[in-house]
Amino acid sequence: MGFGKATSSSKAMKIIDTEKKISVLIVEDDPLIQKIHKVMMAKFGTEVQVVANGKEVVDLYRSGASFDLILMDFEMPIMDGFEATKELRSMGVTSMIVGVTSRSQDSEIQAFMKSGLNACYVKPLNAEKVTAVLNELKNN
Amino acid sequence: MATNREALNQQLQQIVNSLKEQGILDNQFGIVHSLKEYNSPFFLAEMIPMFSQNVQTILRDLTRTLEKEPVNYYDLEEYCIKLKGCTSSIGARRMALACVTLRQAVDNKNKDGCDSALNGMRHEYQNLQSSLDIILELERRIVSHQA
């Protein structure tokens, strides 16, 4: 299941150099899922970094880091995915942010989307969903 | 040596196929298994114990939360979501479905329903764990043959 909408921030998305590897930040607190998602994204030739909660991704961006794609879990300690996405967008971050959540009710997905996500997928992450995200990224 | 490894791989695949036919695993397990090509031969052999540890911890937390009065349905929901995430990510289909049943009981604030769903989940885990133990043993033997 995937949900996507164009946000005003996505219209200002930066041009990605197609020669460079796509940089991906996985924001996920479960070490098992971190590892699965990391290897899955690496399989697609992306450069992957992992952080364990929303505050870490906000701190990374505040320190000057930037990623082409952020895969954002919802439930995390310290700062969840909703708050982290809202904060990143309020900072002017235009990176593609895709929610990857265990919550599957439409109302929950729509609520998460309102934080400023470009799209949202229900776990598990698989090749089909990754391909869709990377194609969306390359087309923008 | 190659023949032994092939035989072990076939045996592993037969077990996985059987578990998929029973609905205990789904295609996601095969996807996770295939990721060892992109990481290390030990990938699945590392993931299975991590998964088991995760599940045991969350089941313990769910049990403790249900035993307390009054029941904290918010915490129950959080643990349920967490368990659904890790079970679906490794392809443990029946366990992920059991999480949906538990979630419904939690949403309805139905303690008896939660108790029943949690028992069902423990049963599914016991079924799955015995098969995962066999898969893990086979996988370790396959990896040692490759080495």
Side-chain angles (χ1 to χ4, degrees):
Chain A
M1 186 194 300
F3 293 78
K5 66 169 189 168
T7 63
S8 57
S9 53
S10 67
K11 288 174 190 169
M13 202 173 292
K14 59 187 169 75
I15 293 166
I16 295 156
D17 181 348
T18 55
E19 297 293 323
K20 275 173 49 187
K21 279 190 174 187
I22 291 172
S23 60
V24 180
L25 180 67
I26 290 166
V27 190
E28 167 66 59
D29 64 317
D30 184 324
L32 174 80
I33 300 174
Q34 280 179 357
K35 193 142 188 185
I36 291 172
H37 288 184
K38 182 177 181 181
V39 177
M40 197 172 287
M41 294 311 297
K43 172 184 164 178
F44 282 84
T46 62
E47 270 183 9
V48 189
Q49 203 168 316
V50 179
V51 293
N53 62 64
K55 184 177 182 301
E56 290 185 28
V57 56
V58 170
D59 287 347
L60 267 179
Y61 269 80
R62 285 209 173 108
S63 70
S66 184
F67 298 85
D68 298 316
L69 170 65
I70 301 171
L71 295 178
M72 185 77 80
D73 184 22
F74 187 93
E75 268 88 11
M76 290 178 289
I78 304 173
M79 185 186 280
D80 67 24
F82 182 89
E83 292 302 325
T85 305
K86 260 181 58 179
E87 182 63 23
L88 290 171
R89 294 303 190 209
S90 75
M91 288 162 57
V93 169
T94 58
S95 306
M96 186 174 189
I97 306 177
V98 173
V100 185
T101 175
S102 305
R103 292 184 178 270
S104 54
Q105 293 172 9
D106 278 357
S107 57
E108 294 172 321
I109 302 290
Q110 295 299 342
F112 195 10
M113 286 289 294
K114 283 182 178 158
S115 65
L117 298 177
N118 296 94
C120 190
Y121 289 90
V122 178
K123 288 172 182 168
L125 200 62
N126 56 32
E128 189 188 332
K129 292 170 187 172
V130 172
T131 302
V133 168
L134 293 179
N135 283 342
E136 177 74 20
L137 186 62
K138 286 169 186 169
N139 290 338
N140 286 314
Chain B
M1 272 303 210
T3 309
N4 281 344
R5 197 171 66 239
E6 277 165 23
L8 288 170
N9 269 318
Q10 265 183 359
Q11 201 179 339
L12 176 60
Q13 201 50 56
Q14 276 165 5
I15 291 171
V16 171
N17 287 344
S18 169
L19 291 171
K20 281 165 72 174
E21 279 166 22
Q22 294 173 63
I24 294 173
L25 293 179
D26 60 26
N27 289 337
Q28 183 71 11
F29 188 83
I31 291 170
V32 172
H33 191 192
S34 73
L35 290 178
K36 73 179 192 179
E37 282 180 60
Y38 303 93
N39 184 250
S40 95
F42 304 99
F43 184 72
L44 186 66
E46 290 170 0
M47 292 293 100
I48 289 175
M50 276 179 82
F51 169 75
S52 299
Q53 188 59 49
N54 248 9
V55 171
Q56 285 167 31
T57 299
I58 299 171
L59 285 178
R60 184 199 63 210
D61 291 339
L62 279 166
T63 303
R64 284 181 185 167
T65 306
L66 260 177
E67 283 170 355
K68 287 184 185 164
E69 289 286 348
V71 175
N72 187 330
Y73 287 101
Y74 177 82
D75 282 357
L76 280 183
E77 185 189 86
E78 294 291 304
Y79 292 134
C80 191
I81 295 292
K82 203 169 171 53
L83 189 57
K84 183 167 176 273
C86 78
T87 52
S88 65
S89 294
I90 205 165
R93 181 177 172 272
R94 277 224 205 124
M95 280 206 70
L97 289 173
C99 291
V100 174
T101 305
L102 177 58
R103 175 85 196 269
Q104 285 166 352
V106 170
D107 286 349
N108 294 332
K109 292 187 167 51
N110 177 350
K111 189 179 184 302
D112 288 342
C114 290
D115 282 327
S116 171
L118 184 54
N119 281 336
M121 199 175 290
R122 283 195 202 98
H123 173 75
E124 291 299 344
Y125 177 60
Q126 276 170 2
N127 269 349
L128 175 63
Q129 188 54 46
S130 54
S131 298
L132 286 180
D133 285 342
I134 297 169
I135 289 171
L136 181 59
E137 176 58 31
L138 279 170
E139 184 68 11
R140 283 175 174 158
R141 287 169 64 189
I142 290 165
V143 170
S144 68
H145 272 286
Q146 281 172 337

